[in-house]
Amino acid sequence: MKPTIVKIENLVKRYGELVALDHFSLEIKEGEIFGLLGPNGSGKTTTINCLLSLLSYDKGDIEVFGKPMKPTSYDIKREIGVIMQNVAVLDELTVRENIDYFCGLYIRDKAKRKEYVDEAIRFVGLEDFVNFRPQKLSGGLLRRLNIACGIAHKPKLIILDEPTVAVDPQSRNRILEGIQELNRQGATVIYTSHYMEEVEQICTRIAIMDHGRKIAEGTKEELKGMIRNTESVSIEILELPDEIREKIAGLPHVYETGYDGDRLTVRCSGGRHNLIRILGVLQEAGLGFGRVYSELPTLNDVFLEITGTALRDAKGE
């Protein structure tokens, strides 16, 4: 069994009357890419700040690498890399100077630091921009610089808080591939994001939190198995009499239908051949229809059913 890298037990954090963390517990094993998800205000950032001992808390215990985490735990903090959503680099320094500065906070040996800085530059693909200052970089390149500054000292635990916000698809793919490569090299990763396709792509285990509590945890397959929805069917149809919709709603395993004037949506729980039965009802009624989609549940469906909030709403959009 792999050792536990992060252990949080019964963490409570209050801001006056507001309970930001309500007896929150979490355990992350070595080698995981662990997704921490939740709507805005669910407690994700508070959890990370408590984990890093940047924020005091009212109750609970936090261990990192098997040791209690305290504000003075500098030996532990040297093994952690943090990449937050807000880019934190120095505008007056070049790309290389920025990475060297942040790496130098942990690595004093100049020769070793140069080796690490060169490696970080190659890793994020900034070789052609080493003499650029941050304000000259695109949003995607700036994110890559932010990541390089956080991982140059080769930390064992890397925390990434929405690292792909507002970046182009090429940079996003580069960042996600980089995270997986860091994991293959031995780093344990904590990853927060509102982009569920990213979480599905890279995370080995996921926890969903809301109102300061952990409400679900598991692999993506385990999480999908927790919800009622096992298949969503969408059919383009311009005419759908109420009696036909009611007949579809009465089919085995159908638990919800919706119609907005040109599209029928049907949610099913379990069963096989749901799509064939639905199309059979339409064909029997002599109704014409257009494109048909049948989808298995996604993490977005899990998030919606468990928290009652769609991911686009959780992002504030």
Side-chain angles (χ1 to χ4, degrees):
M1 182 177 291
K2 291 186 176 181
T4 298
I5 297 297
V6 173
K7 187 175 184 180
I8 301 173
E9 289 187 307
N10 292 315
L11 197 62
V12 176
K13 173 62 182 177
R14 297 182 180 91
Y15 295 99
E17 296 297 318
L18 174 66
V19 180
L21 293 174
D22 189 358
H23 296 88
F24 180 78
S25 297
L26 193 67
E27 193 167 318
I28 300 173
K29 299 290 186 181
E30 181 182 61
E32 289 191 296
I33 302 180
F34 193 93
L36 185 60
L37 309 181
N40 289 335
S42 61
K44 301 187 301 297
T45 300
T46 300
T47 299
I48 291 172
N49 286 335
C50 289
L51 170 62
L52 295 171
S53 205
L54 299 175
L55 191 63
S56 62
Y57 44 91
D58 301 284
K59 182 181 176 182
D61 297 291
I62 298 177
E63 291 185 358
V64 180
F65 306 125
K67 301 177 183 178
M69 184 62 158
K70 301 175 182 178
T72 56
S73 299
Y74 302 117
D75 57 330
I76 297 176
K77 293 182 180 183
R78 288 190 191 97
E79 303 295 340
I80 301 176
V82 183
I83 298 97
M84 302 303 282
Q85 180 178 350
N86 295 324
V87 175
V89 295
L90 303 173
D91 289 338
E92 62 270 23
L93 301 182
T94 66
V95 164
R96 176 180 290 280
E97 289 168 343
N98 262 288
I99 301 171
D100 182 73
Y101 171 78
F102 285 101
C103 187
L105 299 176
Y106 306 92
I107 307 298
R108 297 299 184 187
D109 182 271
K110 290 185 178 180
K112 187 175 184 181
R113 190 166 75 239
K114 182 181 183 305
E115 176 188 338
Y116 281 16
V117 169
D118 288 342
E119 189 172 330
I121 289 169
R122 290 193 298 271
F123 185 80
V124 297
L126 290 177
E127 297 96 326
D128 295 335
F129 304 93
V130 291
N131 294 319
F132 281 52
R133 297 188 190 279
Q135 58 266 35
K136 297 294 185 181
L137 300 177
S138 67
L141 293 177
L142 196 57
R143 290 281 175 186
R144 293 195 215 173
L145 171 59
N146 200 41
I147 291 173
C149 291
I151 58 94
H153 63 291
K154 297 186 182 297
K156 295 178 182 177
L157 173 64
I158 302 173
I159 300 172
L160 297 114
D161 185 14
E162 301 196 46
T164 63
V165 170
V167 303
D168 61 275
Q170 182 180 7
S171 290
R172 175 174 284 117
N173 289 336
R174 184 74 181 245
I175 289 169
L176 295 178
E177 290 170 359
I179 292 168
Q180 290 176 303
E181 180 58 30
L182 289 168
N183 179 247
R184 284 190 289 268
Q185 292 176 6
T188 301
V189 177
I190 300 175
Y191 189 80
T192 79
S193 177
H194 284 307
Y195 298 114
M196 291 298 99
E197 68 277 8
E198 295 180 1
V199 176
E200 289 212 48
Q201 179 180 336
I202 69 171
C203 291
T204 55
R205 202 155 57 90
I206 301 156
I208 298 176
M209 61 187 302
D210 198 12
H211 299 293
R213 296 182 178 182
K214 181 176 68 179
I215 56 177
E217 182 178 0
T219 65
K220 59 185 178 183
E221 291 80 12
E222 290 169 341
L223 290 175
K224 291 175 184 178
M226 295 178 186
I227 65 172
R228 189 178 184 186
N229 179 25
T230 59
E231 182 181 11
S232 295
V233 175
S234 177
I235 302 171
E236 292 181 351
I237 183 167
L238 296 178
E239 179 185 358
L240 184 65
D242 290 343
E243 63 270 20
I244 301 302
R245 179 177 168 182
E246 291 173 4
K247 190 171 184 179
I248 292 172
L251 290 172
H253 310 293
V254 172
Y255 71 90
E256 181 181 291
T257 64
Y259 182 61
D260 61 6
D262 61 6
R263 184 182 300 273
L264 168 67
T265 57
V266 183
R267 297 187 184 277
C268 305
S269 179
R272 301 173 62 186
H273 310 303
N274 296 310
L275 177 59
I276 293 174
R277 292 192 186 95
I278 295 167
L279 294 180
V281 171
L282 297 177
Q283 290 169 342
E284 184 180 330
L287 296 174
F289 51 86
R291 287 180 292 184
V292 177
Y293 306 88
S294 176
E295 297 179 331
L296 297 176
T298 65
L299 273 183
N300 198 36
D301 295 319
V302 174
F303 197 95
L304 174 60
E305 186 164 321
I306 289 178
T307 69
T309 306
L311 253 294
R312 64 177 65 91
D313 297 330
K315 291 164 65 179
E317 294 179 356

